[in-house]
Amino acid sequence: MSIIDQAAPIGVFDSGLGGLTVLQALRERLPHERFVFLGDSARCPYGPREPKEVKAFVLQICSHLARRGCKMIIIACNTATAAGLPAAQQAFDIPIVGVVMPGARAAVHMTRNRRVGVIATEGTVQQGVYGEAIHHLDAGIKVIQKATPEFVSIAESGFEEMDEGTTQAAPFSLKEECQRVAQGYLAPLRAEGIDTLVLGCTHYPLIQELISQEMGPSVTLVSSAEETAREVRAILSRRDELRSPGEDDGVEVLITGDDATKFTRVAQKVLGITPPITKVMLDEVREEGEGTS
Amino acid sequence: MSIIDQAAPIGVFDSGLGGLTVLQALRERLPHERFVFLGDSARCPYGPREPKEVKAFVLQICSHLARRGCKMIIIACNTATAAGLPAAQQAFDIPIVGVVMPGARAAVHMTRNRRVGVIATEGTVQQGVYGEAIHHLDAGIKVIQKATPEFVSIAESGFEEMDEGTTQAAPFSLKEECQRVAQGYLAPLRAEGIDTLVLGCTHYPLIQELISQEMGPSVTLVSSAEETAREVRAILSRRDELRSPGEDDGVEVLITGDDATKFTRVAQKVLGITPPITKVMLDEVREEGEGTS
């Protein structure tokens, strides 16, 4: 029964930098909204952690963003979505959207030969969330999932190197090495004859070109960042909760670690702006997140 | 790996007349498409039948529509979607869309207080498909499902009576009786404080006004017919498979029973046209529908 404040910000969070691709996709589709982005950099990465621990982090961060008055929260991380989305939806009154379902739905819409690949971190692949989400929509689609964890470090190092003066056309000094890794990961997916590939980690849109070169023009890439932004726009638009143009739109970045310099640099690249960055302390995890509905 | 013929028709089927509301919603959103509608009137209604039997009917009808070259099939019936959608998706190469997921997604988007009602036939309610589909998208939404089987006969009799000269403003000679039934069904949902009500049977859009009067202006009605049409348009649009304007667009109606006169009359009301109606014989059910993926 909560009254929605249309002017309230949208909360977006990730363990680290990857979620900035989701934030940027949201900004493009929702230019009048305000955003609060929280990067849990002190505890990054989430990938190798136990799902139970990640779920507790998700509830803790949602609690923080809800207290800041967010009208909606986007879990801009596949690992966190897989581990904590249902618990967060049960615990809070505001809509909470993950990145898995929108990506799965787009893949179902796009595939013609009904063979879909998914690349993601090992945690996301092991939990099988994309396979489940795709089959929930179309039980006849063949889903081939592949863990491609090194893509995360390639995506992050790509950014670092661009700062050191290489051009956008050749963002990696170790370009051939990256292509070799990509070939090793992606050749088996090519061999499976997929026509659609889901980028199931929010870091991957940063190296979309590398992946696209390896897969060839006949394979459509689905960015879960882009699809999540479409979904959020659909929700706010349907509910007539899109924000009117105003003076104070913009982005605020909160981080939990001591890497403000890195965040500033990457935010400038991904968002094209220099948002204010504040270090925050999250409250202790309490057992609050279970079953209010 | 099938090559899609954009000019091919879209197949739509239901056990009876209710699916015409889905067909009409599709025609409004996709004015250049051709449609083949199959009404399995010889075996109507599906509601009281065993799910296994309904699943066999679904596979048989999909086989018939696929042989007629349909590029896509819409199961315009909640009972048939619940019983046969996954099996049909596994058995055929073309996209097959049911009415449950689109309605569930719209309800998740629209509810503000996260209390959603679903009215449907007893079969659909017993199988709990809407609760499952809604919780797959948002685990925190409270779903209250209610079987309202008499609404089917009210919807059908409403049409009959309009033919006998009553006005659109008062389509039921037994108007008070219908309101009494509606009140009995819907008062408990009102008492639950829902703000969104899914019309989980394709007959119900025909009596939307009756339901709306009873629920009041604060409750948003979700038509699974309308939402399914939105979903189909999204799929074809994304895949660039929308049909170009042509000479031979239109609707062909196939029925399995001897009720061509009734179908003609209702099609005129719902679609505003008089489509050609042909009686067809379906092939025997074979054990073909299982697991090709």
Side-chain angles (χ1 to χ4, degrees):
Chain A
M1 295 290 186
S2 56
I3 293 162
I4 304 288
D5 176 9
Q6 282 176 225
I10 297 172
V12 184
F13 75 92
D14 183 19
S15 58
L17 301 166
L20 290 170
T21 64
V22 180
L23 177 60
Q24 179 55 13
L26 286 163
R27 290 178 69 230
E28 284 168 5
R29 292 207 171 257
L30 300 160
H32 304 308
E33 298 294 327
R34 285 166 61 208
F35 296 97
V36 176
F37 180 90
L38 191 147
D40 191 9
S41 53
R43 301 185 294 200
C44 184
Y46 285 177
R49 296 177 187 266
E50 286 295 313
K52 193 180 164 189
E53 187 181 24
V54 175
K55 183 171 101 173
F57 294 169
V58 168
L59 293 171
Q60 185 190 27
I61 293 169
C62 286
S63 173
H64 186 90
L65 292 171
R67 275 205 309 279
R68 283 178 180 261
C70 290
K71 66 180 175 184
M72 189 174 193
I73 294 173
I74 319 303
I75 306 183
C77 168
N78 286 270
T79 309
T81 298
L85 178 63
Q89 289 172 328
Q90 285 167 353
F92 299 95
D93 282 340
I94 53 176
I96 302 181
V97 176
V99 283
V100 173
M101 273 304 292
R105 180 166 173 265
V108 170
H109 284 189
M110 284 172 177
T111 182
R112 286 182 162 86
N113 72 4
R114 308 178 84 218
R115 299 178 74 82
V116 172
V118 178
I119 53 175
T121 62
E122 279 170 320
T124 304
V125 168
Q126 272 165 22
Q127 288 183 72
V129 284
Y130 274 99
E132 192 201 342
I134 289 170
H135 287 145
H136 194 77
L137 296 167
D138 188 334
I141 289 179
K142 168 94 172 167
V143 181
I144 302 111
Q145 303 188 63
K146 173 112 183 121
T148 54
E150 279 190 62
F151 277 167
V152 174
S153 49
I154 292 177
E156 296 218 342
S157 69
F159 275 108
E160 299 307 309
E161 298 213 355
M162 279 202 282
D163 273 338
E164 287 154 21
T166 57
T167 67
Q168 283 238 338
F172 310 109
S173 65
L174 297 170
K175 196 175 169 189
E176 290 76 17
E177 171 63 11
C178 294
Q179 284 170 331
R180 204 188 51 72
V181 171
Q183 193 170 30
Y185 279 152
L186 301 177
L189 290 167
R190 274 219 320 274
E192 288 275 1
I194 61 167
D195 71 354
T196 305
L197 179 63
V198 179
L199 308 183
C201 169
T202 53
H203 273 88
Y204 298 172
L206 301 172
I207 52 165
Q208 188 148 347
E209 207 176 310
L210 174 70
I211 296 166
S212 180
Q213 276 170 6
E214 197 52 43
M215 294 308 296
S218 64
V219 175
T220 305
L221 303 190
V222 173
S223 157
S224 56
E226 177 60 26
E227 295 305 324
T228 302
R230 288 170 72 121
E231 182 76 0
V232 172
R233 187 178 168 89
I235 294 170
L236 291 176
S237 170
R238 276 228 217 220
R239 294 157 66 109
D240 203 17
E241 286 174 9
L242 285 166
R243 195 158 173 274
S244 310
E247 290 299 300
D248 61 343
D249 57 341
V251 177
E252 187 184 357
V253 173
L254 313 174
I255 55 175
T256 59
D258 294 309
D259 42 4
T261 310
K262 188 178 177 187
F263 257 89
T264 303
R265 207 163 57 219
V266 178
Q268 280 169 348
K269 301 252 181 230
V270 178
L271 309 176
I273 56 169
T274 308
I277 298 188
T278 312
K279 183 173 174 181
V280 292
M281 294 286 286
L282 299 174
D283 290 340
E284 286 298 301
V285 181
R286 285 163 297 171
E287 291 298 320
E288 62 177 359
E290 303 297 326
T292 58
S293 87
Chain B
M1 294 290 189
S2 56
I3 293 161
I4 304 289
D5 176 8
Q6 281 175 226
I10 297 172
V12 184
F13 75 91
D14 182 18
S15 57
L17 302 166
L20 291 170
T21 63
V22 180
L23 177 60
Q24 179 55 13
L26 286 162
R27 291 178 69 229
E28 284 169 6
R29 292 207 170 255
L30 300 160
H32 304 307
E33 299 293 327
R34 285 166 60 210
F35 295 97
V36 177
F37 181 89
L38 192 147
D40 191 10
S41 53
R43 301 184 294 201
C44 184
Y46 284 179
R49 295 177 187 266
E50 286 295 312
K52 195 180 163 187
E53 186 181 27
V54 175
K55 183 171 99 172
F57 294 169
V58 169
L59 293 170
Q60 184 190 27
I61 293 169
C62 286
S63 174
H64 186 89
L65 292 171
R67 275 204 308 280
R68 284 180 179 259
C70 290
K71 64 180 176 183
M72 190 175 193
I73 294 173
I74 319 304
I75 306 183
C77 168
N78 286 270
T79 309
T81 298
L85 178 64
Q89 289 173 328
Q90 285 166 354
F92 298 95
D93 282 340
I94 53 176
I96 303 181
V97 177
V99 283
V100 173
M101 273 303 294
R105 180 167 173 264
V108 170
H109 284 191
M110 285 171 174
T111 181
R112 286 184 162 84
N113 71 4
R114 307 177 85 219
R115 300 178 73 83
V116 172
V118 178
I119 52 174
T121 62
E122 278 169 322
T124 305
V125 168
Q126 271 165 22
Q127 288 184 72
V129 285
Y130 273 100
E132 193 200 343
I134 289 170
H135 287 145
H136 194 77
L137 295 167
D138 189 334
I141 289 179
K142 168 95 171 167
V143 181
I144 302 111
Q145 302 186 65
K146 172 111 184 125
T148 53
E150 278 190 64
F151 276 166
V152 173
S153 49
I154 291 177
E156 296 218 344
S157 68
F159 275 107
E160 299 307 309
E161 298 213 355
M162 280 203 280
D163 274 336
E164 287 157 22
T166 56
T167 67
Q168 282 239 337
F172 310 108
S173 65
L174 299 168
K175 197 176 167 187
E176 289 76 17
E177 170 64 10
C178 294
Q179 285 171 331
R180 203 188 51 73
V181 171
Q183 193 171 28
Y185 279 151
L186 301 177
L189 289 167
R190 272 218 322 273
E192 289 275 1
I194 62 167
D195 71 353
T196 305
L197 178 63
V198 179
L199 308 182
C201 170
T202 52
H203 273 88
Y204 297 172
L206 301 172
I207 52 165
Q208 189 149 346
E209 207 177 310
L210 173 69
I211 297 167
S212 180
Q213 276 170 5
E214 196 53 43
M215 294 307 296
S218 64
V219 175
T220 305
L221 303 190
V222 174
S223 156
S224 56
E226 177 60 24
E227 295 305 324
T228 301
R230 288 170 73 119
E231 183 76 359
V232 172
R233 187 177 169 89
I235 294 170
L236 291 175
S237 171
R238 277 229 216 219
R239 296 158 65 112
D240 202 18
E241 286 175 7
L242 285 167
R243 194 156 174 275
S244 311
E247 288 300 301
D248 60 343
D249 59 339
V251 176
E252 187 184 355
V253 173
L254 312 174
I255 55 174
T256 59
D258 294 309
D259 41 4
T261 310
K262 187 177 177 189
F263 258 90
T264 303
R265 207 162 57 218
V266 178
Q268 280 170 346
K269 302 250 180 233
V270 178
L271 309 175
I273 56 170
T274 310
I277 298 187
T278 312
K279 183 174 175 182
V280 292
M281 293 285 286
L282 299 174
D283 290 342
E284 286 297 301
V285 180
R286 285 163 298 169
E287 290 298 321
E288 62 178 358
E290 303 296 325
T292 59
S293 84

